[in-house]
Amino acid sequence: MLDGDDISTSDLSVSVLDTIIGAGEVRVYRDLRSSTQDTVLSVTTTSNLAPLPADFLELHGALYVANKMAATYAPWEQVQNSIQLQSDNIITQNPIYYTFQSDSFLFFPIQQDGTVITGQYYKRFSDISGGLNALFTRHPDIFLYAALAESATFLAEATRGPIWEQKYVSLVGAANEQERRRVTRGSKLQTRVA
């Protein structure tokens, strides 16, 4: 097992192992951003709110309202104050600001019901217990060391725990750098004339 003779396989139930793996997954999705997670966002407003997708982790770029104008992020207080101070609550097609309210986007000026909001976001894949995903396939070592680092507490691994933690942090840093370089390096595309 993980700790040789110190622990037997009967000491760890499937439930505990699932908890360890799940904690590792949560950590990976919190720390790593990959092009495999990049997903199209398309939501519709109701009462000036547009719900976040269930698998939403964070935005990857600007929000666009009705595919026409980019919205700018502002703190919740600023957007809420602007809405409250708006003289006649005029509904407009072009937002100036957006913020988050609970698990939704909130806009100022107020958006009509049915306004389509588009953009890109990073998604959280379904748990790997249901099948492997593209992020796991690209970075299996990160998932392994995330689970090992999370298991250190359960296994009382004072010796190996810090090693697993350090390896996990190093792998995530290298993977995030690799993902950044994938989109910022290389030559420009050129058309070749025959």
Side-chain angles (χ1 to χ4, degrees):
M1 190 89 199
L2 296 174
D3 198 27
D5 296 331
D6 295 341
I7 194 167
S8 74
T9 55
S10 63
D11 290 337
L12 291 175
S13 68
V14 171
S15 173
V16 170
L17 289 173
D18 285 344
T19 299
I20 290 169
I21 292 168
E25 278 187 271
V26 167
R27 190 162 182 202
V28 169
Y29 293 125
R30 185 175 43 236
D31 297 339
L32 181 61
R33 293 295 174 264
S34 166
S35 60
T36 62
Q37 296 171 281
D38 198 7
T39 304
V40 172
L41 172 73
S42 182
V43 292
T44 305
T45 59
T46 303
S47 300
N48 197 37
L49 294 169
L52 299 176
D55 60 356
F56 181 91
L57 288 173
E58 70 182 56
L59 279 175
H60 181 205
L63 284 182
Y64 294 91
V65 175
N67 293 321
K68 294 180 181 176
M69 182 173 184
T72 303
Y73 174 78
W76 183 86
E77 294 82 6
Q78 181 180 341
V79 172
Q80 196 56 255
N81 288 340
S82 296
I83 290 170
Q84 297 302 321
L85 297 174
Q86 188 172 347
S87 61
D88 53 5
N89 263 353
I90 296 172
I91 296 174
T92 180
Q93 297 288 18
N94 297 320
I96 298 170
Y97 302 111
Y98 77 92
T99 194
F100 295 92
Q101 179 168 303
S102 187
D103 285 333
S104 297
F105 296 110
L106 174 68
F107 298 93
F108 175 79
I110 294 171
Q111 295 301 294
Q112 292 180 343
D113 287 357
T115 301
V116 176
I117 310 301
T118 59
Q120 294 288 118
Y121 72 98
Y122 289 108
K123 72 176 179 179
R124 184 193 195 288
F125 286 103
S126 299
D127 294 341
I128 59 173
S129 62
L132 302 182
N133 59 53
L135 184 62
F136 183 93
T137 302
R138 185 177 288 176
H139 302 290
D141 50 348
I142 292 175
F143 283 83
L144 172 65
Y145 279 97
L148 286 171
E150 293 301 316
S151 75
T153 302
F154 289 99
L155 302 176
E157 273 291 345
T159 306
R160 289 189 240 182
I163 295 168
W164 296 334
E165 176 67 23
Q166 182 179 16
K167 182 70 172 176
Y168 169 78
V169 169
S170 173
L171 288 169
V172 166
N176 278 328
E177 177 61 20
Q178 175 192 19
E179 291 292 337
R180 187 187 65 74
R181 283 188 308 212
R182 290 182 75 224
V183 297
T184 61
R185 297 282 196 256
S187 62
K188 295 179 182 177
L189 293 176
Q190 298 177 359
T191 303
R192 191 181 294 182
V193 179

